[in-house]
Amino acid sequence: MHALFTYSVKRLIFSFSHALNLLPKTQLQVMDYTRTRAYSCYMEKNYEAAVETLNSLQSNASVLEKARLQKDRQAISNVPFTEKYLNRIGISIDTIDQQLRIIHVSGTKGKGSTCAFCESILRHHGLKTGFYSSPHLIEVRERIRINGKPLSKEEFATYFWRVYHPLKDYMDDESDMPAYFKFMTIMAFYVFLNEKVDVAIFEVGIGGLHDCTNVIRKPTVVGITSLGLDHVSLLGSTVEKIAVHKAGIMKPSVPTYTVSDQPGESLNVLAEKAFQIKCPLYTVPALDEYHWAPYQIKLGLSGKVQWKNASLALQLSRAFLNPKIEVERSEKKLCYLTVPALPFQIHSPDALGLAKTFWPGRSQVLHRPKATFYIDGAHTPESIEACVEWFILASASPKSRPKRVLIFNTTGDRNANLLLAPLKRCHFDVALFCSNIIDASNESTSKDLLNLMITKEQQVRRTNINRDVWVESGFQPIETSSCKQLVLAFPTINNALDYINNHLVANGANELDVLVTGSLHLVGGVLSLLDPELSFLDSKPASV
């Protein structure tokens, strides 16, 4: 830490001197200390400048395409390179082992929700929490949270420059900088160490085995959520191959919890890994098997699918709070077979934490004049199924049925046929397809949402493909619609929302139920337009 402090002082002196050299001497003569200090603070703390610099670490579309051809070599280097960059800013893996108590969570579906439940439960138990997740919906500072709240813009900028400068100043060559996600992972470790959190909850980015977060060697407990097909070009085309990657975060003697209804033979893959490395593996009970009295089951996140995420979070939180219990249990079961975790008595912090969990963009409802938006970032076939169940139940009305509108997009190597098929059950009157680009005049209303990893042309092409898949599969509304066109494709999110406002709401539709799904990036773009002040972050779920 002494070396880091010395470096920081030198960096500050250098930045200050460099800033002064940029100014004309006549201006220097009239600048007082306050103005000089304000200029320095602006340079070091400006959030927009930090985000713009962070965006420069994104791989552009052409570079990314080349990287895909070498995906195995690129993936294997993720963890050692993350460790290298951590060392460059003065953080050793030993420091992480000794100073952070970590919950590490992988999975295909529900890992963000599970982490959010964990964070809320442990915060209501009185712990200072750190939570690292991805992707962000609107602002990149959402990825790093302290006590449930995203870093403020000032905090984000301050921490960003503290990490960025030493990484930049000690490059081995021009390309020796971490890419976007790797940088954010490194920054998360730096923030949590400096904030001295009681618990650091890390959500895996992609996979697990070769994910940047897998520099974690000694987590307190590991969670693996429901598995399914996603990122198949990177992780494999079967759930069993994908399970190998997800199991990569399991560590010797560290208890791992998962759900019992894993698809195919994926649970056996996890069990084989547990046997190989000698770690206990538990499957969690149903949520209603816990001893709830005198409380009732209330979750801040809607949908039946959240019950298994909540149960997993309860077990992870209990294992974190009572690590000795898990050590004793694992010592008694030296065979390391998969065993059911036992339900336990729910206490006030558990019930309150679950009820007050809020995770934007997942099973979220926003009410607007004449339109209710149902927003869910589901992007796998299984999560789309859960989204459909939630939407049908949440939008059910004892009165006349509102007109139903779909806003959809999916990206990457995801199969549009598999994602769109379950949505047919919703019987939409209008289906709108758009890219994740927010506005044509400026691809993003915020630098936080800038995506250099796919071109505008590629996004528009994918939008048209999604529309064609919907039409070819025989889209039919539940009843005759008064709209001239039922299926439309738009180049931007703003175009799609404008169509709803100008052609559906303005033309006399009494009520609209609008489902937004298929992509977390789409969800973030829609939220940024519907709620530009981010007031949705202050939404309060049910109380106990």
Side-chain angles (χ1 to χ4, degrees):
M1 292 301 293
H2 173 71
L4 207 59
F5 174 76
T6 303
Y7 171 80
S8 298
V9 172
K10 289 180 179 179
R11 179 74 227 179
L12 180 62
I13 294 172
F14 170 79
S15 298
F16 180 73
S17 302
H18 183 64
L20 293 180
N21 290 333
L22 293 176
L23 297 171
K25 290 185 178 180
T26 53
Q27 289 186 352
L28 281 176
Q29 293 171 357
V30 297
M31 282 182 68
D32 58 18
Y33 171 76
T34 302
R35 292 178 62 191
T36 305
R37 185 180 177 203
Y39 182 81
S40 178
C41 288
Y42 173 80
M43 292 299 293
E44 293 294 319
K45 295 186 178 181
N46 182 265
Y47 177 74
E48 287 72 23
V51 173
E52 189 170 0
T53 304
L54 177 64
N55 284 338
S56 71
L57 300 178
Q58 290 190 46
S59 301
N60 63 38
S62 60
V63 172
L64 196 65
E65 186 59 36
K66 292 179 182 178
R68 285 195 182 102
L69 301 177
Q70 308 174 36
K71 63 177 185 292
D72 292 334
R73 189 170 68 186
Q74 292 275 342
I76 292 171
S77 67
N78 268 337
V79 173
F81 270 83
T82 303
E83 183 174 353
K84 165 189 170 180
Y85 293 128
L86 283 166
N87 285 326
R88 187 181 291 178
I89 64 171
I91 298 175
S92 67
I93 302 302
D94 287 339
T95 299
I96 293 173
D97 291 343
Q98 295 162 11
Q99 297 185 25
L100 286 180
R101 295 189 64 210
I102 295 172
I103 297 176
H104 201 187
V105 179
S106 70
T108 306
K109 309 181 295 283
K111 61 182 185 289
S113 300
T114 299
C115 288
F117 278 129
C118 276
E119 187 283 323
S120 185
I121 291 169
L122 293 173
R123 176 160 39 87
H124 282 85
H125 272 278
L127 276 61
K128 182 175 183 179
T129 63
F131 176 18
Y132 175 60
S133 65
S134 61
H136 59 278
L137 293 181
I138 298 178
E139 295 186 345
V140 67
R141 61 192 180 92
E142 298 168 36
R143 296 187 181 216
I144 302 177
R145 297 170 183 255
I146 302 296
N147 285 332
K149 296 182 179 180
L151 294 178
S152 69
K153 290 186 176 182
E154 293 75 17
E155 290 168 335
F156 183 93
T158 297
Y159 279 123
F160 176 87
W161 295 117
R162 286 182 188 174
V163 172
Y164 181 82
H165 285 317
L167 287 174
K168 186 73 172 177
D169 288 351
Y170 293 101
M171 292 191 303
D172 293 335
D173 54 59
E174 291 182 358
S175 62
D176 187 27
M177 280 291 284
Y180 191 107
F181 180 78
K182 194 179 276 100
F183 182 95
M184 288 302 302
T185 303
I186 293 163
M187 182 172 160
F189 282 113
Y190 184 89
V191 170
F192 295 156
L193 286 166
N194 278 268
E195 291 288 334
K196 295 180 171 54
V197 298
D198 298 316
V199 55
I201 302 168
F202 278 85
E203 176 194 354
V204 165
I206 295 178
L209 178 62
H210 301 307
D211 188 71
C212 300
T213 63
N214 210 27
V215 293
I216 299 168
R217 295 187 306 194
K218 297 181 179 180
T220 302
V221 63
V222 166
I224 300 177
T225 66
S226 298
L227 302 180
L229 295 176
D230 197 20
H231 300 294
V232 292
S233 63
L234 297 173
L235 305 180
S237 58
T238 68
V239 289
E240 290 78 17
K241 291 179 180 179
I242 289 171
V244 171
H245 285 271
K246 306 298 182 180
I249 68 169
M250 298 167 69
K251 301 296 187 296
S253 301
V254 176
T256 298
Y257 290 83
T258 190
V259 297
S260 60
D261 59 342
Q262 296 287 14
E265 296 297 314
S266 54
L267 186 58
N268 289 336
V269 174
L270 303 185
E272 289 174 9
K273 177 72 172 182
F275 182 80
Q276 290 170 7
I277 66 173
K278 294 182 170 56
C279 85
L281 176 63
Y282 302 103
T283 55
V284 303
L287 189 62
D288 55 5
E289 292 181 15
Y290 292 84
H291 311 304
W292 282 89
Y295 309 103
Q296 296 180 342
I297 300 177
K298 289 186 179 180
L299 303 182
L301 304 183
S302 302
K304 194 70 174 180
V305 70
Q306 296 298 347
W307 280 41
K308 67 173 68 176
N309 297 332
S311 179
L312 181 55
L314 283 170
Q315 294 289 338
L316 292 173
S317 300
R318 183 172 185 264
F320 184 87
L321 293 169
N322 303 282
K324 290 184 179 180
I325 293 177
E326 298 309 320
V327 170
E328 292 172 359
R329 290 181 64 184
S330 62
E331 287 175 349
K332 291 178 181 177
K333 298 186 179 294
L334 297 177
C335 58
Y336 298 104
L337 296 176
T338 305
V339 295
L342 300 176
F344 51 81
Q345 177 63 49
I346 298 297
H347 298 289
S348 177
D350 306 317
L352 199 61
L354 290 174
K356 288 190 172 294
T357 300
F358 181 63
W359 194 225
R362 287 79 171 177
S363 305
Q364 183 179 354
V365 180
L366 279 181
H367 297 283
R368 292 294 180 266
K370 291 195 173 184
T372 300
F373 287 82
Y374 298 83
I375 301 172
D376 191 273
H379 53 273
T380 68
E382 297 85 358
S383 59
I384 287 285
E385 288 277 3
C387 172
V388 167
E389 291 181 14
W390 164 71
F391 173 71
I392 292 174
L393 183 63
S395 64
S397 173
K399 302 178 181 179
S400 60
R401 175 186 175 275
K403 189 181 293 293
R404 285 181 173 176
V405 180
L406 171 68
I407 300 180
F408 180 89
N409 188 37
T410 190
T411 58
D413 55 11
R414 296 184 175 95
N415 188 318
N417 280 290
L418 293 178
L419 296 181
L420 288 170
L423 291 165
K424 302 289 182 177
R425 301 205 310 269
C426 298
H427 300 294
F428 292 103
D429 299 284
V430 181
L432 308 179
F433 297 87
C434 64
S435 71
N436 291 337
I437 299 169
I438 293 180
D439 189 272
S441 60
N442 182 1
E443 289 194 10
S444 170
T445 56
S446 165
K447 289 184 175 67
D448 299 77
L449 295 173
L450 182 63
N451 184 358
L452 302 177
M453 299 173 71
I454 182 171
T455 66
K456 180 178 179 180
E457 290 73 21
Q458 288 173 321
Q459 291 204 56
V460 172
R461 190 182 313 124
R462 183 57 188 264
T463 298
N464 293 330
I465 291 173
N466 294 336
R467 176 203 58 196
D468 293 344
V469 167
W470 181 263
V471 171
E472 290 167 5
S473 61
F475 164 63
Q476 291 292 334
I478 196 170
E479 57 188 24
T480 303
S481 173
S482 60
C483 297
K484 293 182 180 179
Q485 292 180 299
L486 298 174
V487 184
L488 295 170
F490 297 100
T492 71
I493 296 171
N494 200 30
N495 292 147
L497 292 179
D498 279 348
Y499 181 84
I500 291 174
N501 288 327
N502 299 333
H503 293 83
L504 300 180
V505 173
N507 287 349
N510 292 328
E511 293 290 337
L512 297 176
D513 282 342
V514 184
L515 176 63
V516 181
T517 193
S519 163
L520 279 169
H521 299 287
L522 169 68
V523 162
V526 169
L527 284 173
S528 72
L529 293 173
L530 293 179
D531 195 358
E533 299 301 317
L534 307 189
S535 60
F536 69 88
L537 288 174
D538 298 323
S539 297
K540 296 180 180 179
S543 58
V544 176

